[in-house]
Amino acid sequence: NLYGAKDAGKNFEDLIADIAAKAKARRGIMNSCLYTIPERNLRFFHYGDDFILGGPRKHCIWMKQQLEKILIVKDRGSIGPRTSDLSRITFLHRIIHYDRAKDELTFQADPKHAKLLIEAMGFNGRSKGGATPGVKVADTEETREPLGADAAAHYRSNCMRLGYLALDRVGIQFSAKECARGMSTPTARHLEILKRCVLYLITRPNLKYVYNRQSMPKLFTIFSDTDWAGCPITRKSTSGTIVMFGSCLLYTSPSPRDQRESGVAAWGL
């Protein structure tokens, strides 16, 4: 029994790794929660005790049977082209939708987080939204002023929510990263950055990623750019990276870098 044990999480992870090994699955290098079984063209991802399988239907059923040998499994349904399949399902509160007419998948973040951020920052449906998720906030005596204890606690709470939402919203990742820099000692500048990003969420409350059926691409396409010494306080640069596999978005990241890494920052590598 794993429940109640101090290392229950690790024990469960080891259990899943053991089940995957017996199924001849390869564990992901970049993401250890992702497994692939090339012989069956099957992939599955787990986060804690939540699983999602992708591949031919018969092999998904087979993998489910392997899990059922050890675990109690609750099947919430399948997304697919059959009329008996679901067209919409949630996984870790993300919304996955399959359009049978267009033969495409869409993915979007839990919309409640944008709504809660808008309400928490004192805005509503009548508030004028922002066209962009961020603007340069000057480093002045006024913007360096630390927030009071209550305001700082409120800031940290909403900063964490913004960071969670940014996992699925590429357009706000830079702003969320800038807000996170102020977690230890929030200032008026950090609050202004947070407010601006939330105003953008009024204009763009949702973002859908569209995944169309495509031929297997032979190459990854990588876009990168650098905001050279963009932080007015630390003078650090930020390198933004987007990785595409054909028309499908796979990975995005805004990474802060030291300005002294001139060759690295200039090329955004």
Side-chain angles (χ1 to χ4, degrees), residues 25-190:
R26 299 177 184 174
R27 197 170 194 172
I29 296 174
M30 186 173 181
N31 190 330
S32 61
C33 294
L34 181 65
Y35 292 85
T36 304
I37 306 178
E39 296 79 6
R40 297 178 180 271
N41 192 25
L42 178 69
R43 295 166 182 80
F44 71 91
F45 173 84
H46 86 94
Y47 185 86
D49 59 356
D50 292 309
F51 290 79
I52 187 166
L53 312 177
R57 192 180 301 267
K58 64 178 182 179
H59 295 314
C60 288
I61 294 173
W62 173 85
M63 189 64 220
K64 176 189 168 188
Q65 293 170 345
Q66 306 310 303
L67 294 171
E68 287 176 329
K69 292 178 181 178
I70 307 295
L71 305 171
I72 299 174
V73 177
K74 179 182 178 180
D75 187 352
R76 296 177 53 220
S78 302
I79 286 182
R82 297 181 181 178
T83 55
S84 58
D85 291 332
L86 300 175
S87 61
R88 182 180 183 273
I89 198 168
T90 60
F91 180 70
L92 299 177
H93 302 290
R94 278 79 169 177
I95 301 172
I96 304 172
H97 179 263
Y98 176 67
D99 189 322
R100 294 189 181 93
K102 297 181 180 179
D103 191 25
E104 69 179 20
L105 279 170
T106 59
F107 169 91
Q108 70 179 94
D110 186 348
K112 77 174 183 181
H113 293 294
K115 180 180 178 181
L116 290 173
L117 279 166
I118 292 169
E119 293 175 352
M121 299 308 295
F123 303 125
N124 54 47
R126 295 186 299 274
S127 301
K128 183 179 179 180
T132 61
V135 292
K136 294 284 186 180
V137 180
D139 179 29
T140 65
E141 290 186 9
E142 290 78 10
T143 59
R144 293 194 205 107
E145 186 69 26
L147 301 179
D150 292 342
H154 184 260
Y155 172 86
R156 292 187 182 101
S157 175
N158 289 287
C159 180
M160 291 298 293
R161 186 178 296 278
L162 182 68
Y164 183 79
L165 179 61
L167 291 172
D168 306 309
R169 293 288 302 264
V170 59
I172 66 173
Q173 287 181 350
F174 179 83
S175 295
K177 183 265 298 178
E178 288 296 300
C179 288
R181 284 181 167 178
M183 283 290 285
S184 60
T185 309
T187 64
R189 176 178 178 272
H190 297 116

